[in-house]
Amino acid sequence: MARPAFGRMEGGGGVISASLLEPTLSSLIQISVRELKLLEEGGGLPDVGLGLPRSSSHGDLACSIAMQLASRQRKPPLQLAEALAAALREKLKESALQEAVERLEVKPPGF
């Protein structure tokens, strides 16, 4: 995928507007967090933290929600990230973004 320099991302299925991609991915991540019961009862959802990675070699988008949830859940962030990634992959199969997201990977901090 190309970096969204001009507000669009290219994936296997063509070009999709970054203005559609990011909010839709954020929503799918939020749904996954709720379905995996990663929030305390009555607890609010933290910011998904979806944005550009520091280096373009690290992909088009990065998400920090697993780091934010790790202390609340008292679980390793990579374990939470893997669970979220698996749930998100399933959600993407049913989403209009299926063709726009070429790859979804979990990487340790500082990769």
Side-chain angles (χ1 to χ4, degrees):
M1 285 196 283
R3 197 166 170 80
F6 298 103
R8 34 182 245 158
M9 299 185 82
E10 295 181 39
V15 176
I16 186 166
S17 163
S19 64
L20 171 65
L21 180 74
E22 291 183 33
T24 305
L25 274 177
S26 289
S27 178
L28 292 175
I29 292 167
Q30 290 172 351
I31 291 167
S32 297
V33 166
R34 287 187 185 100
E35 286 180 355
L36 293 170
K37 297 180 173 53
L38 297 178
L39 298 174
E40 313 83 38
E41 184 133 348
L45 185 68
D47 179 40
V48 170
L50 193 62
L52 297 175
R54 290 184 182 150
S55 170
S56 62
S57 66
H58 295 165
D60 294 318
L61 292 171
C63 180
S64 63
I65 196 163
M67 294 293 288
Q68 297 174 57
L69 293 171
S71 61
R72 294 180 182 191
Q73 292 294 311
R74 298 177 191 240
K75 293 182 179 177
L78 284 177
Q79 180 183 352
L80 295 175
E82 289 291 353
L84 282 167
L88 187 55
R89 284 184 191 103
E90 290 302 312
K91 299 262 177 271
L92 285 170
K93 288 179 185 177
E94 304 162 5
S95 165
L97 300 182
Q98 179 179 9
E99 297 297 319
V101 177
E102 184 177 298
R103 187 171 59 247
L104 183 89
E105 298 177 315
V106 173
K107 298 287 185 177
F111 60 98

